[in-house]
């Protein structure tokens, strides 16, 4: 593979950088973080660039599937603010990719043009109070009552539930059916009667508030069953398809953006900060830190772009995406913490963005499948026995 970005992706990257500079100034981003606010007005301007359709075929109003370009968009937005990059993922990936892969033809033709236009956002309702990575063990239930579905249960760490159009909810559809043959995915509007949303006060990723969601006899039309009526009891295949590989890359792209921004700020600051009459990069300890971090970022970017290239080719690349998710998110966490040491006390105060980078970077190895889960994936999918 040629690791240089294709010309159209480089042009998109330049466009995104201009967009960020114009519409996402640092002062505004700090305010979004303080208020835990989703800047919908910026998201709407982003949609005007056409980037929401990078996961959607042209026949449904999109630009055609381009995973590498999608990752570059996530990376560039995440350099400045997760309050914009994560909602972008919730639209183009959570909504767009899942509808393309798992939606009925009617759902695709009805919903995908809205996704491409920036008018539709999904929040993932997978995790529960006692269910994390083992999604097949969800207890939230759904049953059919005529032309309606009735949902009961609860979800935890449901980020963006209060700002989305649909909660993409994994539910147990048949208590008597075998494991992996008893799940369905339902699209639940958060304003539906019986839906209760409670804020969880988390450390980072402000602008996309994470929540607890409770469903109490929630009734929705059977048309909200993903895949149509044929989707009943087929939810497991919908959450373990190729979209799961890309989800790991989405988190890696966020982490890469955070790590890049942290290093850029630390690099610039180091050349301004003097100690004992010399700028601090004159000291070998600082120079070596910067060299190590730049090397980590370079390796992380190559891993992400290579895995995205594999996903673009339609190949199953679970091992590569798990390695990428593990390496890039851990590297970003290390980089953010090291950059904080270069800033010293200034890296611990909210007037500097470094403090936010640390809070956001700490989350990256956890979401989208923890580092421990990715290690298990790598050895299991590589054919190592003993498990």
């Amino acid at each position: 593979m040629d690791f240089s970005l294709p010309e159209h992706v480089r042009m998109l990257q330049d466009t995104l950088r201009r967009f960020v500079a114009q519409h996402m100034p640092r002062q505004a981003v700090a305010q979004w973080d303080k208020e835990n606010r989703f800047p919908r007005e910026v998201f709407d301007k982003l949609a005007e660039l056409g980037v929401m359709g990078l996961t959607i075929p042209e026949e449904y109003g999109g630009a055609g599937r381009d995973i590498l370009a999608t990752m570059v968009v996530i990376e560039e937005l995440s350099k400045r603010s997760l309050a914009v990059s994560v909602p972008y993922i919730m639209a183009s990936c959570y909504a767009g990719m899942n509808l393309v892969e798992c939606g009925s033809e009617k759902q695709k033709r009805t919903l995908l043009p809205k996704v491409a236009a920036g008018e539709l956002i999904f929040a993932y309702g997978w995790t529960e109070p006692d269910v994390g990575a083992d999604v097949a063990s969800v207890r939230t239930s759904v049953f059919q009552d005529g032309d309606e579905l009735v949902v009961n249960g609860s979800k935890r760490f449901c980020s963006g539930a209060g700002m989305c159009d649909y909660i993409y909810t994994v539910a147990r559809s048949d208590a008597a059916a075998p494991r992996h043959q008893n799940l369905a995915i339902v699209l639940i509007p958060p304003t539906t009667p019986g839906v209760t949303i409670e804020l969880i006060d988390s450390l980072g990723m402000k602008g996309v508030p994470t929540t607890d969601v409770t469903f109490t006899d929630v009734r929705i039309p059977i048309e909200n069953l993903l895949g149509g009526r044929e989707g009943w009891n087929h939810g497991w295949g919908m959450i373990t398809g190729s979209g799961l590989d890309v989800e790991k890359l989405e988190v890696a792209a966020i982490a890469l953006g955070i790590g890049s921004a942290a290093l850029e700020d630390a690099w610039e600051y180091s050349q301004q900060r003097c100690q004992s009459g010399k700028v601090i990069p004159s000291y070998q300890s600082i120079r070596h830190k910067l060299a190590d971090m730049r090397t980590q970022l370079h390796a992380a970017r190559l891993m992400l772009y290579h895995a995205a290239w594999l996903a673009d080719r339609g190949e199953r690349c679970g091992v590569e995406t798990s390695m990428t998710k593990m390496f890039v998110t851990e590297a970003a966490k290390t980089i953010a913490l090291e950059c904080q040491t270069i800033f010293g006390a200034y890296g611990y105060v909210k007037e500097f963005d470094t403090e936010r980078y640390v809070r956001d970077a700490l989350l990256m190895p956890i979401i989208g499948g923890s580092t421990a889960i990715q290690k298990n994936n790598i050895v299991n999918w590589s054919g190592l026995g003993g498990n």
Side-chain angles (χ1 to χ4, degrees):
M1 176 191 174
D2 180 2
F3 283 99
S4 61
L5 288 175
E7 180 63 24
H8 76 281
V9 179
R10 286 201 300 271
M11 292 176 63
L12 176 64
Q13 188 178 57
D14 290 341
T15 299
L16 263 296
R17 288 173 178 173
R18 291 193 297 270
F19 178 89
V20 168
Q22 181 178 358
H23 299 291
M24 300 169 62
R26 288 178 185 257
Q27 186 176 3
V29 168
Q31 195 65 27
W32 304 338
D33 181 78
K34 182 178 180 180
E35 298 172 357
N36 199 7
R37 182 174 75 85
F38 165 44
R40 181 77 204 207
E41 68 282 3
V42 177
F43 180 85
D44 290 342
K45 290 182 183 298
L46 178 66
E48 293 174 4
L49 299 179
V51 294
M52 303 296 173
L54 288 172
T55 59
I56 300 171
E58 293 181 12
E59 64 181 298
Y60 300 112
R65 178 184 168 100
D66 193 332
I67 301 304
L68 178 57
T70 302
M71 295 306 117
V72 168
V73 173
I74 296 169
E75 176 188 353
E76 292 301 325
L77 294 174
S78 298
K79 287 180 182 178
R80 186 56 58 88
S81 175
L82 271 59
V84 179
S85 68
V86 175
Y88 170 74
I89 292 172
M90 295 167 67
S92 64
C93 301
Y94 290 5
M97 287 196 64
N98 284 304
L99 286 167
V100 169
E101 293 188 5
C102 307
S104 67
E105 187 59 30
K106 181 179 179 181
Q107 288 168 341
K108 292 178 184 179
R109 297 207 173 275
T110 301
L111 299 178
L112 284 175
K114 295 182 180 180
V115 177
E119 298 171 358
L120 199 64
I121 296 176
F122 282 9
Y124 270 177
W126 294 20
T127 302
E128 298 183 354
D130 296 317
V131 177
D134 184 17
V135 182
S137 297
V138 295
R139 298 177 182 176
T140 297
S141 66
V142 57
F143 67 87
Q144 299 183 41
D145 184 15
D147 289 332
E148 290 186 318
L149 301 173
V150 183
V151 183
N152 284 280
S154 59
K155 297 294 179 179
R156 174 147 291 173
F157 304 127
C158 187
S159 298
M163 52 180 269
C164 73
D165 299 286
Y166 290 106
I167 302 172
Y168 187 88
T169 306
V170 182
R172 187 177 295 274
S173 50
D174 189 339
R179 182 178 171 87
H180 300 147
Q181 298 176 34
N182 60 353
L183 300 176
I185 297 176
V186 290
L187 307 180
I188 304 177
T191 55
T192 306
V195 177
T196 303
I197 299 175
E198 299 175 281
L199 180 67
I200 298 174
D201 191 9
S202 59
L203 181 67
M205 205 172 84
K206 300 298 184 179
V208 189
T210 194
T211 65
D212 277 333
V213 180
T214 303
F215 305 113
T216 305
D217 292 329
V218 173
R219 288 182 172 269
I220 54 175
I222 199 166
E223 288 77 14
N224 287 30
L225 177 65
L226 190 65
R229 293 177 185 265
E230 291 74 20
W232 191 254
N233 283 351
H234 287 87
W236 179 251
M238 295 178 180
I239 62 177
T240 57
S242 60
L244 187 62
D245 289 337
V246 178
E247 184 194 359
K248 290 177 283 185
L249 300 185
E250 296 155 17
V251 179
I254 297 173
L256 181 61
I258 296 169
S260 297
L263 182 56
E264 287 175 10
D265 284 5
W267 195 282
E268 181 178 354
Y269 175 81
S270 71
Q271 297 176 75
Q272 300 169 357
R273 174 67 169 170
C274 290
Q275 187 70 26
S276 301
K278 298 188 294 184
V279 292
I280 59 175
S282 302
Y283 299 98
Q284 190 178 68
S285 61
I286 300 297
R287 297 177 72 84
H288 285 185
K289 280 187 178 184
L290 293 170
D292 286 342
M293 290 188 289
R294 187 164 184 177
T295 302
Q296 284 180 300
L297 268 182
H298 181 65
R301 184 168 285 109
L302 291 178
M303 288 189 74
L304 175 63
Y305 290 0
H306 175 252
W309 176 74
L310 291 174
D312 262 332
R313 290 161 58 93
E315 299 182 19
R316 290 309 303 267
C317 46
V319 173
E320 291 83 359
T321 57
S322 285
M323 290 191 294
T324 299
K325 200 277 178 181
M326 177 184 71
F327 181 85
V328 178
T329 59
E330 292 290 349
K333 181 176 74 171
T334 298
I335 289 167
L337 289 168
E338 282 284 38
C339 287
Q340 191 177 53
T341 67
I342 290 176
F343 276 88
Y346 291 114
Y348 197 67
V349 297
K350 289 186 179 293
E351 283 76 13
F352 285 77
D353 292 339
T354 299
E355 179 268 346
R356 186 180 73 252
Y357 301 148
V358 170
R359 287 189 282 112
D360 288 342
L362 291 174
L363 177 64
M364 296 301 108
I366 300 172
I367 61 173
S370 68
T371 293
I373 292 296
Q374 304 311 327
K375 289 180 178 180
N376 285 339
N377 290 343
I378 292 164
V379 293
N380 290 342
W381 297 343
S382 296
L384 183 67
N387 185 12

